[in-house]
Amino acid sequence: MAEIQLRNVGKRWGDYVGVDNFDLTIADREFLVLLGPSGCGKTTTMRMIAGLEDATEGEIVIDGKVVNDLEPKERDVAMVFQSYALYPNKNVYENIRFPLKVRKVDPATHDARVRRASAMVELDDFLHRRPAELSGGQRQRVALARAIVREPNVFLMDEPLSNLDAKLRVSTRAQIKNLSHELAVTTIYVTHDQVEAMTLADRVVIMKQGVVQQVGTPVDIYDRPANAFVAGFIGNPAMNLIEGVVSGGTFRAERTEVAGLSAPQGAVTLGFRAEDAQVVDTGGQINAPIYTMELLGDSTMVSVRINGALVSVKADKTFRGRIGDPVSIAVPAAQCHLFSAISGERIHA
């Protein structure tokens, strides 16, 4: 197994900074998710670990060994790509077996290893088929089995679910979660989908424009986002963010007044989660007309507009209203987060 250290790793192309001063230790058998919007540097970071990109600065250490100058095949990592990269002329069995042939593994062990890997991803009934005869979810499982069969020290997964439909994403995500537990191999997983990150990860690294914004468990990041960017990126829906001013412990913005806050005076961004507020008859901290409603089954998402931003709250599933109806929203001060209006950093009361 392998611990991975990224020691002040950076990647630059001329003046463009792809990854800046990435410094992190990934524990043996940890499932780490790199999360962020397109272009934030998460895939570049993974490719540097794999050896597909050269680090401009810093050291990459796998299992105590600096690997910056090693070829990808010498790093004992297996990578699952967004595109399945299967051989169309080979059946599933041979696609899974291929890494063993390339690495000149004892042929006498091939069949047992291929069948063990295929069983883990429930492909035993499809070993004779070619990729063109498989669904997207089945092809992705072949790609997973091909990585598993190598028994590597490190798994690298680059947005492996992005080509699947919503239902398949849920089932395959569950399969990856179970596999990570069963295989107990250090795994680095890249995604822009925060639901994947929150459900799969032991720890999440959130990136923006090549810079790490926060590292923590999913609960840590959800409950105490380090800055307004993280707050607005994590959660479904994301945290509500309202720009306003604090004076005398009270936050004020358009149609909004939240008292009882412990914060310095001045311009701030107030945040709260949709599930931490509620629709009330009267006396709420936000009073505005309904902008839109969404029936979610277990609840009703009610949204209003404050300072041009959409602010959402989860109401009871029995809530009934129409667009334009006035609504009062209770926002408990204890559930509020405050961020600097200038830097976006969290204000620690």
Side-chain angles (χ1 to χ4, degrees), residues 269-285:
T269 300
L270 179 137
F272 64 91
R273 299 273 180 204
E275 66 269 24
D276 291 334
Q278 60 185 127
V279 174
V280 293
D281 292 333
T282 57
Q285 283 71 33

Side-chain angles (χ1 to χ4, degrees), residues 111-129:
D111 188 66
R113 288 175 66 167
V114 169
R115 292 186 183 279
R116 174 177 174 267
S118 73
M120 283 185 169
V121 294
E122 301 172 11
L123 282 173
D124 289 350
D125 295 336
F126 302 93
L127 292 175
H128 62 286
R129 295 193 186 182

Side-chain angles (χ1 to χ4, degrees), residues 82-99:
Q82 179 178 344
S83 59
Y84 315 125
L86 303 179
Y87 296 99
N89 60 328
K90 298 180 187 293
N91 63 20
V92 169
Y93 183 98
E94 289 300 329
N95 265 283
I96 297 172
R97 181 186 175 204
F98 188 74

Side-chain angles (χ1 to χ4, degrees), residues 270-318:
L270 179 137
F272 64 91
R273 299 273 180 204
E275 66 269 24
D276 291 334
Q278 60 185 127
V279 174
V280 293
D281 292 333
T282 57
Q285 283 71 33
I286 298 176
N287 293 279
I290 295 173
Y291 181 77
T292 187
M293 292 197 320
E294 298 174 82
L295 302 176
L296 304 179
D298 64 334
S299 61
T300 301
M301 191 71 73
V302 179
S303 299
V304 299
R305 285 183 75 85
I306 304 295
N307 288 349
L310 208 59
V311 173
S312 300
V313 57
K314 279 189 177 179
D316 190 85
K317 64 181 181 181
T318 61

Side-chain angles (χ1 to χ4, degrees), residues 62-83:
I62 299 178
D63 207 13
K65 183 177 182 180
V66 177
V67 299
N68 289 52
D69 296 328
L70 294 185
E71 292 293 317
K73 64 183 179 182
E74 299 170 323
R75 298 190 184 196
D76 197 15
V77 302
M79 194 158 181
V80 179
F81 294 93
Q82 179 178 344
S83 59

Side-chain angles (χ1 to χ4, degrees), residues 135-212:
S135 68
Q138 290 164 343
R139 286 181 217 164
Q140 189 55 270
R141 283 187 276 153
V142 176
L144 285 170
R146 189 176 53 190
I148 291 166
V149 79
R150 281 191 46 196
E151 300 174 5
N153 267 339
V154 180
F155 279 126
L156 304 176
M157 300 188 182
D158 187 10
E159 305 216 33
L161 308 185
S162 60
N163 291 335
L164 304 182
D165 64 39
K167 187 175 180 181
L168 270 176
R169 285 171 81 102
V170 173
S171 60
T172 311
R173 189 170 70 217
Q175 199 157 36
I176 289 173
K177 180 80 170 178
N178 184 268
L179 276 173
S180 72
H181 174 77
E182 190 173 341
L183 295 169
V185 175
T186 307
T187 302
I188 301 173
Y189 186 104
V190 162
T191 184
H192 64 272
D193 185 326
Q194 52 91 17
V195 174
E196 283 178 28
M198 299 294 279
T199 53
L200 289 172
D202 295 322
R203 280 193 302 165
V204 179
V205 177
I206 298 182
M207 300 181 70
K208 176 189 177 187
Q209 296 176 349
V211 178
V212 173

